[in-house]
Every structure is written in C-alpha cells, then in structure tokens.
Amino acid sequence: MKRALRILFSVIFGFAVLLVSANLYFHYWLQHHLPQYIENKSPYHIHYQNLNIEFVSGNISASKVKITPKITDNQNVLQLNGTVDSLFISNLGIYDAILNKKINAKYLKLFRPNLQIILPENQDGDKKNKQPLISKNLMIEDGNIEILRFDKSKFLSIENLSLNIENLKLTEKEVSRKLPIAFDQYSIKSKAFHFYPDEVYHISATEINTENGQMSVTDFSMKPLMNFSEFSRKFPRKSLLDISSQKMNFKDIVLKKNKISLSEVRFSEPNLTVYSSENQNKNKNKPFTYIVELQNVFFDNGKAKIIKNGQNKFSVDNVNAHFEQLVLDEKNPKNELPFRYENYQISGRNIFLDAGKFYQFFIKNADFQKNSMDLRGLHLQPKFTKTQFTSKISTEKDWYNVKIAQTRITDFHWKLKDSQPKINVGNVLINNLQAQIYRSKSPKDDLTRKKLYSELLRSIKFPLLVKNLNIRNSNLVYEEDLPNGNKPGKLTFSQFNLNAQNLNSNKGFKNTVVPIKIHTQFMNVAPMKVNWSFDTANLQDDFSISGQINDLPAESINAFVTPYSHKKVEGNIHEVRFNFKGNRTEISGNYTMKHENVKVKVLDEKTKKEKKVLSAVTNLIVRTNSKSETENVVVHTTRNPTKSFFNLLWRGVEEGLKKTLVGKNVEKTEKTVKQVKQKLGLQDSVNQKEKPKKEKGFFKNLFKK
C-alpha cells in the first residue's frame, strides 16, 4: 500500500514538474518568440519598446507600439496603420491570437493612439463574417482615429477622443448596408467628429461629450457632399437634406444593423433645408442608407426651408416642436419629406408657402398639435396685380386676396390606409376673414362644365368629414371689371357669418346632408339671411336654398348696377324673400318682394348725367310700388352647365326680380317699350349692336364663373 502511494505521488509530482516546466518554457517562448511568431503569422508589422505577457491571466501590456500593414493594397482584410503610446489587453485568447489571427480579449485599452483603419471590402455571401477584433470592452484615451473604406474614401474620423465602450462589435459586411460597429454602453469625449455614411452626406460636430448618461453634441451638421443638380441625376425623385444645429443632446444611443436609435433628443437652433425636384424618372437608389429613429424629440427655435427646382416653396422661422417619435428613412411614399412621425406639438412663425403659379401663403403664427391647429395672420396673397393676372389667363378666372385673422381647427383626426388618407374634423373656426374677389370680363368665358358643391365634395377620393364649420365677423367684396373702361361693379357682404355642418365626401358616412346658414349685411346696409342644404349622396345634386333681405335702399346696389348698364336705381326695397329648389339642370320656386318708390335713371355714357326722357320711358315698365300685400311670383329657369351654382341662383333671383318690377309677361312688356323708344327716336347711351354681349342686363354677369 505504501509502495502504491509512493508511485502515485511520484507520478503526480512528475506531471507537476512537467506542467511547471512546460508553463515556464511556454512563458519564456511567449516573451521571446511570440512577437516574432505574430510578425510572421499576422498581416501586420508590429514594433514596440516594451512588452509584458502574463500567460495565466492572458494580460498583455506594451508601450510605444507601431503597427503597419504588410500589404497595403489588400482589400480583403482590415488594415491598421499608426502608433499607440501604450496598450493593455485583458484576458487575451492566446490560442485565438496564434492560430486564428484574432484578437479576442475582455478589455482593450489604448492610451494616446494615433491610428488609421481601413475597412475590408465586402466578403462573399457564403463566407462567415470574420471579426479580426473581438473585445467586449474598449477604452481609448486622448486618441486620434481615422476610419476609411476599402477604397480609401472617408468614413469616420475623430480627434482628441476619450472613449469607453462595453460589448463592442465590428463587422466586415458592406458598410452601405450595415453599420460597421455596434455596442451597448458608452461614454465619449472628443473634438472634430466627421462621419461619411455614404456618398451623399457629411455628418460633423466640433465637440462631443457625455455626462451622466447624456450626450451633448456641439455644432452638429449633416451637409450634402454634392450640389442638387448632381444629386438629382443620381437619385431622381429623392430629396436632399441640409441639417445643422447649434447643439444637440440625447441619451440611450443604440446601433443595430442599419438603424441608429436615440432618445430624449433636443436640438437647439436647428436649421433644415430640403432640396427636391419634380423629376419623374424612377430610380431605386437610396441616397441615405440608414434608418435614424429618434424618441421624444425636441426642437428649440429652429428654421426650415424647402427648395424645389431652385425656387423657395416653403419656409418657417422660430420653430419649437416636440415629437414622441421621428424616423428618417425612405418609406414616405411621395418622397417629398423622408420623415415619419407620431404625436407632435409644433409652433412656428413667419411661415411662407408657395401655392402655385398665382398665389402664395403667409402665416404669422401657427400652433399644431396631434388633434388641433391654430393659425393666426393667414394671408393668401396674389403674386400679380389684377391687371397682370388678367393678362396671364386665357379664360375668365377669379383673382383672390384673402386675409384671415384666426383659423382654429379642433378635434382633428386622420390616418393613412393603403396610401389613402381618412380625415375627420370636429370643428373649424375662421374668424375675421377679409376677402377680395375680382373678375375681369375681358378674357373668354370658361366653357368647361362646372360642378355643383355636392358633386365637388363627392369628387374627393378619400373619406372627409368636417362636422362643424363657422366663419365669423368677416367681409367679402366681389368686383367685376368690364372692357368698357368704367369702374368695376362691386358687391359687398359685411359682417358675414356662416355655419356649415356635416361637410362630407360621401365615403362611408350615413348622414350625407349638408345644411348651411348665412347671416350677413348685403351692401353694408341690408340684413340678409340664407338657408341652404344639399346631399352629397344625391347624384342629381338636388338642393334647396331660401333667403331674405330686409331694408335695402335701392341706391346701395348702384355700385354694381351703374358700371354695367349706365343706370341708377333709387327707392326702397323693404323685403325680398326667395325659396328655391334645384338640381344640376334647373332651379324653381317662389320669389316675393315689397318695395316703394323704385325708379330707374338712365345716364349718359360720357357725361354721367341723367337722360330724363329716356328715363321716363324706361320707368314705364317699372312698378314703382309693390301691392299692399307682398306679391308672390313663381320662378323657373334652366341652368347653363358652364356656369357655377351662384350663377344659377342669380338666374332665379333675376327672373323673380323682373316679374316683380315689370310684370309676369316680361318679354311682351320689354317689346312694347322698345317699340315706343323707336317711335320716339330714343336709344340707350350705348349702341346695343356694338355693345359686347357680356354687358347686357343689370346683373347679367354676377356670379358668372
């Protein structure tokens, strides 16, 4: 038994001696031959002043290290070139370093490194993704790092870098598809940061610093590397961005595949410019290959601008905004702005929007939230004067100049499904609208078919519902200018108030009837009320409209009558009532009017003085006073499909006015008076044969669009 124990002890002792001897020899070999072995087996020349290797712990430290690639044009391996004052590697996998040419360590510390890194070219798809550097933790102190792509183009550079990263990963996959680095926790302090994610953009910052988990970036910018002309040739139908910010703060940066995620992001004095064009040529190339996802984003005192085909199409100052989520990618279907967002609050000042060939929008103040918006100082401004506008149109068209003190939209909801919006609005308030509408009768008539409002709403291709629209404390002025050189005829609607309910596009709504009520002062003096309704589901576009005007001095309508007919009207119209029904082809109903001392004065075209004899003959057909009881006349007239709804309404009012003032047999009476004029040798001040067709009648051209 004792002999067996002695043998066992001798064997154990022998193995121990052998193991210690082997360890001592291997340690000796590592100290004296490993550098030469690495030199022979690795793709780098490595020189150093001091080297210390601990075989048991796997710790390695070195000073005054210099590394250069043996083959400078090999694009299949990661290339390192530069110096490190000192380095420390913790728990190095010795066998991986020797046999697999990998640096696999728990911790890598670099002190004052000055390195250039050239990333390898894309590897074949069937090869495994080899990582030449695997270190769970990386620390760099006061380093200067430059990373290039395999073709020596710039990718990333940082100066005065102090960095601490946990669970770092590098990839050799093509950098245009996937971020070359990933990590968990980090802290960083650096200057002169430059990042080139692709051929289009250069991202830079003068200083980066982290403190208490919050990163601060000073003078951040994302600038284009090419002008828009070159960009649009390479990436048709894409938008080019130019972004800068005096300061940017964020935390919780996450890099995964091709996505960069940040949270609690705040931009101070950001400036965004978007360049785009209307080039319809399709191209699948993406100018920005990464997805940037920002959570809880704030913009303080920013500016934004959209330049399209070299022209300023949109700009805004003093932007303050908050987004719960903001995503920068290429999923926007129209590619106008490559942004997606959720839950926002935005305010801006001095907003400009180009509204096409003839108009532009200005808004002094705007506040937007997820379900509401408030616009103040809105101005739809014409780009041209009335005369210039008329010279640029081929057929009759209205010229607008509209100002709105406040537009308030509440209970606003919308969503996008299959690239089609669905909009549901609770309330729209338009307060203090001042509208000038002008039409010259010089251009040719627009002979296209005009849709009634029910058909116009029905023509909207997506579900739209505005439950309640209010226009308050407003003024509308309509002018028509004839080619006879007179002043334009003018109609005014002051103290204009309108309420419209259930404005809808007849897309899935049970109730499709739209009731409208209007209260206003006609020609600034006469109270006027209108009740109007139509059904967007009615394919014949049936409608009903009734109205009442009280206490209208006849002289007040001369501002519109005189320029057309060289006539003046005097007297009092105590009450006008109409109750019409109609559709896309006709209008009919009842018209009543109570008037007193209504007379017509015929004026000389040049002197503007009354032609008394001609006036007397004209007044032969005018009923100066209504009967003791207000007379009711029946109206029926057909619609000209090239004219608008308001023209159809006027045709009904005009017929009722004629039947009331002249009599029910209007045509016979006018014929009799004409014969009397011919016998007396009397004519109107304008030769009717030479008079343009558009000038006939007191109100013939009213609402003719």
Side-chain angles (χ1 to χ4, degrees), residues 510-563:
K510 293 181 179 179
N511 180 17
T512 53
V513 176
V514 180
I516 300 172
K517 294 183 178 181
I518 299 173
H519 289 209
T520 185
Q521 291 285 324
F522 179 58
M523 303 304 285
N524 294 319
V525 293
M528 179 178 179
K529 297 180 181 180
V530 176
N531 290 318
W532 173 23
S533 68
F534 53 81
D535 187 349
T536 59
N538 187 299
L539 299 183
Q540 296 301 313
D541 298 312
D542 291 345
F543 66 87
S544 64
I545 186 165
S546 61
Q548 178 180 345
I549 302 175
N550 295 100
D551 302 322
L552 175 66
E555 292 86 350
S556 64
I557 64 175
N558 287 330
F560 197 83
V561 171
T562 302

Side-chain angles (χ1 to χ4, degrees), residues 129-349:
N129 180 29
K130 297 180 180 180
Q131 296 183 6
L133 173 61
I134 303 175
S135 177
K136 293 183 178 180
N137 304 282
L138 171 66
M139 189 188 82
I140 298 174
E141 184 176 305
D142 195 19
N144 296 310
I145 309 294
E146 181 184 34
I147 301 177
L148 305 177
R149 293 181 176 87
F150 69 92
D151 59 359
K152 306 295 180 65
S153 62
K154 295 180 180 179
F155 183 71
L156 177 67
S157 66
I158 310 177
E159 297 179 7
N160 303 115
L161 174 65
S162 294
L163 176 69
N164 194 343
I165 296 180
E166 296 181 9
N167 198 21
L168 172 68
K169 298 181 180 68
L170 293 180
T171 178
E172 290 183 359
K173 285 194 174 182
E174 184 182 3
V175 295
S176 64
R177 295 182 183 177
K178 187 174 181 179
L179 291 164
I181 58 175
F183 51 80
D184 292 342
Q185 301 296 321
Y186 70 96
S187 65
I188 184 172
K189 184 177 182 180
S190 73
K191 294 182 179 180
F193 172 87
H194 297 275
F195 177 43
Y196 300 83
D198 48 39
E199 63 178 307
V200 179
Y201 293 109
H202 169 210
I203 299 174
S204 65
T206 59
E207 189 173 353
I208 301 175
N209 187 32
T210 56
E211 186 175 355
N212 299 323
Q214 187 82 15
M215 177 175 282
S216 174
V217 180
T218 304
D219 295 329
F220 169 83
S221 72
M222 187 173 82
K223 298 288 185 182
L225 293 171
M226 60 181 71
N227 60 42
F228 183 70
S229 178
E230 181 183 359
F231 173 84
S232 61
R233 287 195 300 270
K234 290 188 174 183
F235 306 100
R237 300 188 67 199
K238 304 296 181 181
S239 299
L240 183 66
L241 306 180
D242 187 335
I243 303 173
S244 64
S245 180
Q246 187 181 71
K247 201 161 190 178
M248 183 176 76
N249 299 315
F250 61 87
K251 70 176 185 178
D252 299 334
I253 183 170
V254 177
L255 305 180
K256 186 176 181 180
K257 294 183 179 180
N258 68 332
K259 180 185 288 188
I260 304 171
S261 300
L262 309 174
S263 65
E264 302 301 323
V265 184
R266 185 176 292 274
F267 295 89
S268 297
E269 298 186 22
N271 195 336
L272 166 66
T273 302
V274 181
Y275 299 90
S276 64
S277 71
E278 295 178 359
N279 193 333
Q280 299 301 310
N281 196 13
K282 293 185 179 181
N283 192 306
K284 294 184 179 180
N285 291 335
K286 291 185 177 182
F288 194 74
T289 54
Y290 300 118
I291 298 174
V292 179
E293 185 179 81
L294 310 178
Q295 300 287 342
N296 208 21
V297 187
F298 295 87
F299 294 87
D300 299 330
N301 194 25
K303 296 181 179 181
K305 183 182 293 186
I306 296 177
I307 307 294
K308 198 167 190 176
N309 295 328
Q311 301 293 321
N312 183 18
K313 296 297 183 179
F314 171 81
S315 64
V316 58
D317 298 330
N318 306 110
V319 177
N320 293 280
H322 172 226
F323 293 86
E324 288 187 8
Q325 184 182 57
L326 185 62
V327 180
L328 171 63
D329 61 9
E330 287 294 318
K331 292 184 179 181
N332 187 306
K334 292 187 178 180
N335 291 316
E336 187 69 26
L337 282 175
F339 295 151
R340 290 184 290 121
Y341 53 85
E342 290 183 6
N343 294 348
Y344 59 89
Q345 292 180 336
I346 306 174
S347 66
R349 305 293 179 264

Side-chain angles (χ1 to χ4, degrees), residues 244-484:
S244 64
S245 180
Q246 187 181 71
K247 201 161 190 178
M248 183 176 76
N249 299 315
F250 61 87
K251 70 176 185 178
D252 299 334
I253 183 170
V254 177
L255 305 180
K256 186 176 181 180
K257 294 183 179 180
N258 68 332
K259 180 185 288 188
I260 304 171
S261 300
L262 309 174
S263 65
E264 302 301 323
V265 184
R266 185 176 292 274
F267 295 89
S268 297
E269 298 186 22
N271 195 336
L272 166 66
T273 302
V274 181
Y275 299 90
S276 64
S277 71
E278 295 178 359
N279 193 333
Q280 299 301 310
N281 196 13
K282 293 185 179 181
N283 192 306
K284 294 184 179 180
N285 291 335
K286 291 185 177 182
F288 194 74
T289 54
Y290 300 118
I291 298 174
V292 179
E293 185 179 81
L294 310 178
Q295 300 287 342
N296 208 21
V297 187
F298 295 87
F299 294 87
D300 299 330
N301 194 25
K303 296 181 179 181
K305 183 182 293 186
I306 296 177
I307 307 294
K308 198 167 190 176
N309 295 328
Q311 301 293 321
N312 183 18
K313 296 297 183 179
F314 171 81
S315 64
V316 58
D317 298 330
N318 306 110
V319 177
N320 293 280
H322 172 226
F323 293 86
E324 288 187 8
Q325 184 182 57
L326 185 62
V327 180
L328 171 63
D329 61 9
E330 287 294 318
K331 292 184 179 181
N332 187 306
K334 292 187 178 180
N335 291 316
E336 187 69 26
L337 282 175
F339 295 151
R340 290 184 290 121
Y341 53 85
E342 290 183 6
N343 294 348
Y344 59 89
Q345 292 180 336
I346 306 174
S347 66
R349 305 293 179 264
N350 303 323
I351 299 172
F352 164 79
L353 175 64
D354 190 296
K357 181 179 179 180
F358 296 112
Y359 298 98
Q360 52 195 8
F361 269 111
F362 294 94
I363 303 174
K364 288 185 179 180
N365 300 296
D367 293 282
F368 302 92
Q369 297 185 25
K370 181 181 178 181
N371 301 120
S372 66
M373 62 182 70
D374 192 351
L375 310 177
R376 295 178 182 271
L378 186 149
H379 187 188
L380 174 63
Q381 184 183 73
K383 294 181 180 179
F384 305 103
T385 65
K386 298 173 183 177
T387 303
Q388 291 171 333
F389 176 83
T390 302
S391 68
K392 293 178 181 295
I393 57 176
S394 57
T395 58
E396 285 186 7
K397 186 178 294 186
D398 286 339
W399 174 96
Y400 296 95
N401 189 354
V402 180
K403 296 180 180 180
I404 303 176
Q406 181 187 25
T407 300
R408 176 70 177 165
I409 301 175
T410 56
D411 196 19
F412 176 80
H413 302 274
W414 77 280
K415 62 181 179 180
L416 198 64
K417 185 177 182 181
D418 298 328
S419 300
Q420 181 174 332
K422 180 178 181 181
I423 300 176
N424 192 311
V425 181
N427 294 283
V428 178
L429 170 63
I430 297 175
N431 187 40
N432 193 7
L433 179 151
Q434 305 294 323
Q436 291 179 281
I437 307 169
Y438 167 83
R439 171 168 290 210
S440 172
K441 308 305 292 184
S442 297
K444 295 185 298 184
D445 283 335
D446 180 3
L447 299 179
T448 59
R449 186 181 77 86
K450 307 301 187 298
K451 297 178 180 179
L452 299 187
Y453 285 97
S454 51
E455 185 180 0
L456 282 171
L457 285 168
R458 190 167 60 246
S459 299
I460 298 174
K461 296 182 179 180
F462 57 87
L464 169 67
L465 175 63
V466 178
K467 296 178 182 178
N468 195 43
L469 166 66
N470 280 299
I471 300 176
R472 296 178 182 172
N473 309 315
S474 299
N475 296 287
L476 285 72
V477 178
Y478 175 79
E479 293 180 291
E480 276 192 0
D481 195 7
L482 296 171
N484 60 14

